[in-house]
Amino acid sequence: MGGPSQTSWPLAWIGRWHHAFVFQRRTQVLADLLARQIPQRASVLDIGCGDGTIASLIAQLRPDLSLQGVEFMARPDCKIPCVAYDGVALPFPAASFDVCMFVDVLHHTQNVAALLAEACRVSRAHVLIKDHLNENALDDATLRLMDWVGNRPHGVSLTYNYQSRKQWLEHFSGCGLNELTWTTDVPLYSPPISFIAGRRLHFVSLLRKD
């Protein structure tokens, strides 16, 4: 009977630490960066919205936007309207939204290209992505650690499917997406965490369909 409690309390502690020192700053920084990328009066589908925290912060910064969430396991307490989906096919007709948005979602999928193609089908014009860059063994090890710390306490599936810059460009080209913006200046963490978990491992990109 002592086994489960011994394995669960470290995860609970890690979860509390992450929320106190990483989560709150991360959500604010991302909401600000993403809000500045979205066109005026756009309808936005947040794919893999989680509890809707980032989307709700974007809505506060950009009241001209309308936001809808979709999640594999939709949460009843989600901060934005949210529907469930099977993780493969988005439950919306073609061209239903102006923007489809992924925030640290695609690297959790087994098939990045397939879900990105679904977003292109549902989007009328734009796809907005925040994700990771994996260029070498150090990047991969750092991203795996970050993912484990941020997601393992919450039971999130970890596929560690990180992509290089070259792979991202191939995905974009394969889906007929053109980069309008690309930045690796994503200051999610304060020192000293930024020296480990920063290092241009994160990017935000706004893409437009051909």
Side-chain angles (χ1 to χ4, degrees):
M1 293 178 61
S5 63
Q6 291 177 352
T7 56
S8 63
W9 77 258
L11 289 177
W13 182 87
I14 290 170
R16 288 193 296 270
W17 175 87
H18 184 267
H19 188 274
F21 295 100
V22 176
F23 178 80
Q24 293 179 337
R25 175 186 170 106
R26 174 183 177 275
T27 54
Q28 292 287 347
V29 169
L30 286 180
D32 182 63
L33 282 173
L34 296 166
R36 284 187 269 142
Q37 297 284 328
I38 301 172
Q40 291 291 317
R41 296 179 294 280
S43 58
V44 182
L45 178 64
D46 186 358
I47 303 171
C49 64
D51 68 356
T53 295
I54 291 175
S56 67
L57 291 172
I58 291 173
Q60 292 174 28
L61 295 168
R62 293 285 306 279
D64 60 299
L65 304 177
S66 63
L67 290 111
Q68 166 73 52
V70 63
E71 179 59 72
F72 181 66
M73 295 183 66
R75 307 181 192 185
D77 60 347
C78 188
K79 296 179 176 64
I80 62 169
C82 179
V83 298
Y85 84 121
D86 61 7
V88 178
L90 294 168
F92 303 99
S96 294
F97 298 89
D98 296 315
V99 181
C100 282
M101 180 172 72
F102 295 103
V103 183
D104 284 334
V105 167
L106 289 170
H107 67 264
H108 286 293
T109 69
Q110 296 291 346
N111 191 330
V112 172
L115 188 52
L116 189 57
E118 261 296 274
C120 290
R121 179 186 68 82
V122 171
S123 170
R124 283 189 283 270
H126 296 93
V127 177
L128 179 59
I129 300 173
K130 188 288 170 185
D131 217 286
H132 297 311
L133 285 173
N134 181 13
E135 302 292 354
N136 52 55
L138 178 60
D139 289 353
D140 189 72
T142 305
L143 290 168
R144 285 172 178 263
L145 176 61
M146 289 164 47
D147 236 358
W148 191 92
V149 170
N151 293 298
R152 179 64 180 85
H154 306 290
V156 176
S157 175
L158 300 175
T159 59
Y160 305 120
N161 192 15
Y162 312 116
Q163 309 291 295
S164 67
R165 178 69 165 127
K166 180 176 181 292
Q167 288 173 308
W168 282 117
L169 288 171
E170 290 171 351
H171 292 316
F172 299 161
S173 176
C175 290
L177 291 169
N178 298 308
E179 285 182 13
L180 297 181
T181 66
W182 170 280
T183 183
T184 55
D185 184 13
V186 186
L188 298 181
Y189 314 105
S190 56
I193 299 174
S194 60
F195 302 134
I196 300 171
R199 299 190 299 103
R200 302 171 69 85
L201 295 174
H202 310 265
F203 76 87
V204 171
S205 182
L206 178 65
L207 304 115
R208 184 175 177 86
K209 294 170 63 175
D210 284 337

